[in-house]
Structure formats: C-alpha cells, structure tokens
Amino acid sequence: MTAMLDSFATDLTAATSLHQPGNLPHPPHAIDAENVPLSGGTDPTYGEVRWRTLINGTEAAPRDMVLGIAEFGPGHQLRPHRHTPPEFYLGLEGSGIVTIDGVPHEIRAGVALYIPGDAEHGTVAGPEGLRFAYGFASASFEAIEYRFTASA
Amino acid sequence: MTAMLDSFATDLTAATSLHQPGNLPHPPHAIDAENVPLSGGTDPTYGEVRWRTLINGTEAAPRDMVLGIAEFGPGHQLRPHRHTPPEFYLGLEGSGIVTIDGVPHEIRAGVALYIPGDAEHGTVAGPEGLRFAYGFASASFEAIEYRFTASA
C-alpha cells in the first residue's frame, strides 16, 4: 500500500482511512481547491480516485460538515464501499455511473445524488473523466469509516 | 411581497421563509437540477437570487442534509442575512463577493466558503453572474429560519 495512506484493508469489516496530512483544516472561511493538495491515487482497495478536502472539522476548528471534490481520470473508479453517515455527490464535470445498492445512476454536471447511510456505493468514470463535489453532515472526515466491499 | 413566497419581513427579528412548493422532495437518490423548478426572483427583502433545492428532508423521506444551487444574474444579490445552522457555498460558475461578518471573500468555481452559524453573510454577483452550490447539515430547508438584516 502506498506510504502516503494511513491504513487499508480489503474486507468489509476492517475500517479504511482515506485521510492524509495534506488535508488538514484550512483558513476558517474561504478555501480554494487549487491550493489544496490532491490525495489518493491508484490503490487496489479503493481504485484510482483522487480527492481534495475543502471543508473539514478539527478539535481546534469544529465544523458540522465535510466538503470535498473527487476527481477521476477516464474509466477510473472508486470501488464499492459503505460508511455510516449519508453522503451527497454533486456532479461538476464529465460523467460517470454511481451504483447505489446495486442501482446505477448517471452523474454529470448538475446531477445530485443522495447516498443513504450504510448504502453500498461505487463509481466508474466515463471516457472524459469525472469530477464531483461530495459532502457529509459529519464533524470530520477522519471520523468517517470507509468499509470497502471485499473484491469479488 | 410576491405571492409565491410564504412570508417575509425586513427586520432582524422576523423569520423569513424562502421555501416554495416547487422545492418539494425528489426521488430518493438522483436529482437533476435541470428538472427542478427555479425558486426566488426579485424581492426587496432578499434581492434577486434564484435557487433550486436538490436534496431536502421531509417527514416521509428524512435526510440529514440540504443541498441546492443558487443562481445570480450580473450584479444580482442575496442580501445580508443570518441563520443558525452553518452553511457551505461551493462556487460553480462566474464569480462574486460573499461578505461574511463584514469580511469580503471572492467566490468562483472551485472556491468553497464555510459560513459559521449565525454569521451575517450576503452575496453580490460579478459582471458575468454567479452560480454556487450551497448546503446545510440540517434535516430540512423549511426548518431553517432566514433572518435578513434590516436594510440600511
């Protein structure tokens, strides 16, 4: 597993942390995605998605929400996984398919997806790649346990 | 006050409801902004902003988050106001200035703003207009009281 990730596991029970030092909290009000380092990359557990955390809570600067932008190259994936807090995706650019509990949904600019808590969801980007905003009504990204479905 | 809005007031104490029937809850998972009617328009209390509510909770389909997209013509405004839940804005298109507790912040595509609870915030769009996503870690948009600062 790449050194830059905290910990990974491939079965459903183990927790997965997608958080990296680069995603530390930012100035209180305004965060420009261009100034936020990309996390992620290619990994057998979660796929090839990369992401930037824009809004996140810490003990010093508590928030009640997490906001980030995920980026996918053509055909790249975020493999099926679950987490207890519900999540939204909002398509920004490109397109892809997000499968929620076995049901495929197209995502593209202007399409919002609501992912219920503990629903299995995975993403495959289209030929032109995909960017979407994602968010949780949670205090911090670090507190969210990503449970990846065991690879078939 | 325009008939399509529930109630409006101009001083700091009175509550303001920006919710309209067109923003009712949508299919559980996927919502295409193109299929959501625009609310808002020109009003002396809140300005000229228009918006689409994409994710929203109801008693029948509870959510723990609200997500919408706000749209502004050139120079249009959402006048200074407060609400108890914190909010995020994520620039999608165009540009503008969002003043939070007296401090101006530029918003454009890729810039996220975190608006602390009860902070006064107002928006003025730039010459090419502005679109941004907004969201709350709240159960429903209707439950959020918008308190507009009395006009000078």
Side-chain angles (χ1 to χ4, degrees), chain A residues 13 27 33 46 49 55 63 79 92 96 99 101-102 119 122-123 136 141 143 150 152:
Chain A
T13 52
Y46 62 76
V49 62
I55 293 177
R63 299 279 184 269
R79 299 200 194 291
L92 299 176
T99 301
D101 281 344
T123 300
F136 301 89
F141 193 32

Side-chain angles (χ1 to χ4, degrees), chain B residues 84-125:
Chain B
T84 300
E87 183 178 16
F88 77 80
Y89 289 173
L90 175 64
L92 300 176
E93 210 176 340
S95 70
I97 300 294
V98 178
T99 302
I100 305 173
D101 280 345
V103 177
H105 300 273
E106 189 200 4
I107 189 167
R108 50 185 161 69
V111 170
L113 294 178
Y114 177 78
I115 299 162
D118 289 318
E120 183 190 67
H121 54 294
T123 301
V124 180

